[in-house]
Amino acid sequence: MKPSFYPYELQNRSSSVATKSLAQVPTVSCPRGTVPILQDRKGDITNFEGFHTMDGPSGELAVIKTVDDIYGSRVSINVYEPKVKEKTEDLSASWVLMLNKENASRMESVGVGSVVWPAFSGDNFARLHINWRDNTRDALCYDHRCPGFVHVNSRIGLGSKIQPVSVYNGPQHFIDVLLFKDPNTKNWWFLLGGAPVGYWPSSIFTHLKDKVTEAAWGGQVYGPTVQSNFPEMGSGHFAWEGFGKAAYVSNIKIVRENNKYYTPDTDSTFVRSTRPCCYAIDNYGQDEGGMHLYYGGPGDCSNNCNR
């Protein structure tokens, strides 16, 4: 029901997160031994073939990316509700994605974040979603749509609305996410605000049961009509507008094999926007909390630039 060991610093950090994190998901009180599972979503989408590539013909991203031997990551994700056109299968996400690319033909991954996805949820709210790709599938799974993720929290439901969300030039809200591999069980855990939500058993992975080889934090838009509709990303405003106006990811650290937190090595870390005239990146840097980045844009830019 909980990890056997936490990465070093987590205990000190989680107590402050519990009192200072302003964005949360509504909690419920399920009976002991049960967990909440959302039943009111449209559920038109079961998976996206190729979604694990993160960008390409059907997607754009603006992220910090690091390539290393990684055993976990923590990040504070600024939560907005970017506009995504309805009656499409497109999404706009702010999240952490962790992949193992040692076998290009059988890539494995886990991810968590805030996602606006009308075709999946039936509305335009920012919701908490997880995704993963294990050793049996060629596409990502989401939440409880296929077996694999073991949900242990009786109060936090996957797919729940994140509230409150940030307001342009107003109050800013974020969620704190931790993904890490339990050094004993080899299971990959997801914690929200210091609270264990659930884990992916090591048995569903081949390479990921060892480590992650690549991680990315930031914004992503994806879907079959992204290249013609270009959804908003982040706050819907460009990254250079800065705090209170542009979305950010901050306090980024990775977990190494010794189960301790480290700021990613700058020699193996870079920032990337696949379409910078639509989705900008700015103010990439480091502080005592880790790495940070502003990102995003208004979309609707098909006439402004070419790939």
Side-chain angles (χ1 to χ4, degrees):
M1 296 296 290
K2 61 182 181 180
S4 62
F5 286 95
Y6 292 91
Y8 291 24
E9 296 181 358
L10 178 62
Q11 299 300 331
N12 294 334
R13 182 176 170 79
S14 64
S15 61
S16 63
V17 167
T19 58
K20 295 181 180 179
S21 178
L22 299 178
Q24 303 174 10
V25 297
T27 57
V28 295
S29 297
C30 288
R32 183 177 177 84
T34 68
V35 297
I37 298 180
L38 240 58
Q39 297 289 346
D40 60 349
R41 293 174 295 173
K42 289 178 63 178
D44 294 342
I45 305 299
T46 56
N47 56 47
F48 267 149
E49 296 290 339
F51 189 32
H52 59 275
T53 59
M54 298 174 56
D55 58 347
S58 298
E60 306 290 352
L61 54 83
V63 296
I64 298 175
K65 180 178 178 180
T66 191
V67 179
D68 204 340
D69 290 343
I70 303 169
Y71 298 82
S73 169
R74 77 179 190 203
V75 58
S76 297
I77 301 173
N78 191 200
V79 178
Y80 275 93
E81 285 181 337
K83 292 182 175 62
V84 179
K85 289 187 178 181
E86 296 183 358
K87 298 182 180 179
T88 72
E89 296 180 356
D90 301 339
L91 64 83
S92 183
S94 298
W95 52 14
V96 49
L97 297 170
M98 307 183 70
L99 307 93
N100 187 302
K101 287 188 173 182
E102 290 185 331
N103 185 342
S105 64
R106 183 58 68 183
M107 194 186 313
E108 299 172 353
S109 65
V110 293
V112 174
S114 169
V115 187
V116 174
W117 195 358
F120 190 77
S121 62
D123 56 45
N124 292 89
F125 296 121
R127 293 182 176 271
L128 176 71
H129 289 297
I130 67 169
N131 65 61
W132 77 96
R133 184 173 184 258
D134 58 30
N135 60 14
T136 66
R137 297 179 179 88
D138 291 327
L140 285 180
C141 292
Y142 307 94
D143 297 352
H144 295 294
R145 285 308 168 100
C146 40
F149 184 76
V150 180
H151 196 152
V152 304
N153 194 300
S154 63
R155 298 177 59 82
I156 297 175
L158 301 178
S160 297
K161 290 170 57 178
I162 302 174
Q163 298 174 313
V165 298
S166 299
V167 177
Y168 178 78
N169 206 22
Q172 299 298 296
H173 305 292
F174 61 92
I175 56 173
D176 273 281
V177 169
L178 171 62
L179 293 174
F180 76 99
K181 191 186 83 168
D182 187 310
N184 281 345
T185 65
K186 315 301 182 184
N187 298 331
W188 278 88
W189 278 90
F190 160 40
L191 278 69
L192 180 69
V197 177
Y199 65 89
W200 292 271
S202 63
S203 59
I204 70 173
F205 299 116
T206 299
H207 303 290
L208 205 65
K209 68 172 55 178
D210 178 26
K211 62 187 175 184
V212 165
T213 58
E214 181 177 313
W217 308 264
Q220 178 183 22
V221 294
Y222 191 91
T225 63
V226 159
Q227 299 302 321
S228 57
N229 286 323
F230 286 107
E232 291 183 351
M233 179 190 290
S235 69
H237 291 261
F238 286 116
W240 51 74
E241 294 191 39
F243 183 79
K245 298 180 180 180
Y248 64 83
V249 284
S250 64
N251 298 317
I252 295 170
K253 288 199 173 183
I254 61 172
V255 180
R256 297 203 184 276
E257 191 172 13
N258 60 6
N259 210 34
K260 293 183 180 180
Y261 286 112
Y262 294 86
T263 299
D265 190 336
T266 55
D267 291 339
S268 57
T269 303
F270 58 94
V271 294
R272 180 189 183 198
S273 172
T274 55
R275 192 176 285 261
C277 56
C278 294
Y279 307 115
I281 50 179
D282 195 53
N283 195 26
Y284 160 64
Q286 296 178 330
D287 54 35
E288 62 182 16
M291 285 187 169
H292 55 81
L293 176 75
Y294 287 92
Y295 64 91
D300 192 25
C301 59
S302 56
N303 296 324
N304 297 335
C305 62
N306 296 310
R307 182 178 292 275

